[in-house]
Amino acid sequence: MTRRKAFKQPSVIPGFGLAMGFTLAYLGLVVLVPLSALVLRSASIGPSEFFAHASDPRVLGALRLSFGASLAAACLNAVFGFLIAWVLVRYRFPGRRAVDAVIDLPFALPTAVAGIALTALYAPNGWVGQLFAPGSVLGGLFGAGGLRIAYTPLGIVVALTFVSLPFVVRTVQPVLEEFDAELEQAAATLGANRRQIVRRVILPSVLPALLTGFALALARSVGEYGSVIFIAGNIPYVSEIAPLLIVIRLEEFDYSGATVVAALMLMISFAMLLVINLIQAWSRRRYGHGA
């Protein structure tokens, strides 16, 4: 009787068993079942057929572009997202609340609308694109042909940077707000310059959150479709992303080909997220900060 009472302790959260059961069921239906179906479908394809689809130069080019552009966008957002969060937290200036609200615009804006707007801006005759057109001042810096942004891989990076920026800013911003400024003052009192304070005091505290924002931005960029197809140009072997290739394979009723591309994206995404999580764990052990 005593053991029974000791085992059945009252839960801190009322209805914990029901809430946990609902959580696991919802997670299974929304995440695990679709992923399991993809894995089972991939397993039903023979190894030779799977390798034939996976080694297709068009598939390899699309995967290389999708993950390369996503990695570039996530790296850009890791740098500039940190700077934006720093400015929003540390400085007070007119229009600060408006700038802070604009950061969330990619969350609310439909991706297709974002793609059309970016294409209109960065097209050769757009407001920004014409600044880099042949014969322009900025275009002359890139040779006689100028710099073409829309309908190129560069345009894809621009679109992915736009849609994934909020993930870094909103992940780093709360950490900077909770950071104790007295630590900077103490480091300065001990003779540290600004660069040493950033590298040895601020960055170790922010690094786990920054890596989390980087991972979220990368995951968001890899699966992006709506904002990219308008600005990419969708030229095979040049500016065709992997999600678009999956749609094309489905429209061609090539379900095996679509499944292989999706499975490859899933495996590469898991591998990249695993590496990022390992780096996060190392940073927590190294600097002793949680996230």
Side-chain angles (χ1 to χ4, degrees):
M1 193 67 162
T2 306
R3 277 188 195 170
R4 197 174 208 179
K5 289 183 179 179
F7 178 76
K8 294 183 67 175
Q9 294 292 332
S11 175
V12 177
I13 303 176
F16 175 76
L18 180 61
M20 177 59 72
F22 177 79
T23 301
L24 294 177
Y26 187 80
L27 180 64
L29 291 174
V30 175
V31 179
L32 298 181
V33 171
L35 293 182
S36 300
L38 176 61
V39 172
L40 292 176
R41 174 64 180 172
S42 302
S44 65
I45 302 174
S48 58
E49 184 180 358
F50 188 95
F51 181 77
H53 286 293
S55 58
D56 184 359
R58 186 176 179 181
V59 173
L60 295 177
L63 290 172
R64 190 183 305 113
L65 177 60
S66 290
F67 285 95
S70 299
L71 187 61
C75 290
L76 287 172
N77 282 332
V79 176
F80 293 101
F82 172 78
L83 294 177
I84 292 173
W86 178 271
V87 170
L88 291 176
V89 171
R90 291 303 180 93
Y91 300 101
R92 297 295 181 267
F93 52 90
R96 175 180 169 274
R97 292 183 180 274
V99 174
D100 192 30
V102 168
I103 297 298
D104 294 327
L105 183 62
F107 284 149
L109 194 66
T111 56
V113 175
I116 294 173
L118 291 173
T119 304
L121 284 174
Y122 291 97
N125 58 346
W127 289 353
V128 179
Q130 64 183 355
L131 299 177
F132 298 91
S136 63
V137 178
L138 295 178
L141 300 176
F142 299 93
L147 178 65
R148 191 179 180 88
I149 300 176
Y151 316 123
T152 66
L154 180 58
I156 297 176
V157 175
V158 171
L160 296 180
T161 303
F162 172 79
V163 299
S164 60
L165 175 63
F167 290 93
V168 178
V169 177
R170 294 311 183 207
T171 305
V172 175
Q173 191 174 358
V175 179
L176 289 176
E177 289 175 348
E178 295 177 0
F179 184 78
D180 191 358
E182 293 182 357
L183 296 176
E184 299 177 51
Q185 298 173 2
T189 302
L190 295 175
N193 55 37
R194 293 300 300 172
R195 183 177 301 178
Q196 291 173 329
I197 292 174
V198 172
R199 189 177 70 252
R200 298 186 179 182
V201 178
I202 299 175
L203 190 58
S205 300
V206 179
L207 185 59
L210 186 61
L211 288 173
T212 301
F214 174 84
L216 293 174
L218 180 63
R220 177 70 175 85
S221 299
V222 167
E224 178 59 25
Y225 178 79
S227 64
V228 175
I229 57 173
F230 293 100
I231 198 173
N234 308 321
I235 304 173
Y237 307 101
V238 177
S239 59
E240 184 180 57
I241 59 174
L244 175 62
L245 184 58
I246 294 175
V247 175
I248 293 174
R249 291 286 188 258
L250 291 174
E251 291 176 347
E252 296 173 348
F253 302 101
D254 184 6
Y255 301 117
S256 297
T259 301
V260 170
V261 178
L264 290 174
M265 290 190 68
L266 180 63
M267 289 187 290
I268 298 173
S269 299
F270 274 158
M272 296 178 72
L273 292 177
L274 176 61
V275 172
I276 294 173
N277 287 331
L278 291 176
I279 296 175
Q280 283 180 309
W282 171 83
S283 68
R284 293 190 185 100
R285 292 194 301 269
R286 174 69 175 80
Y287 298 110
H289 293 279

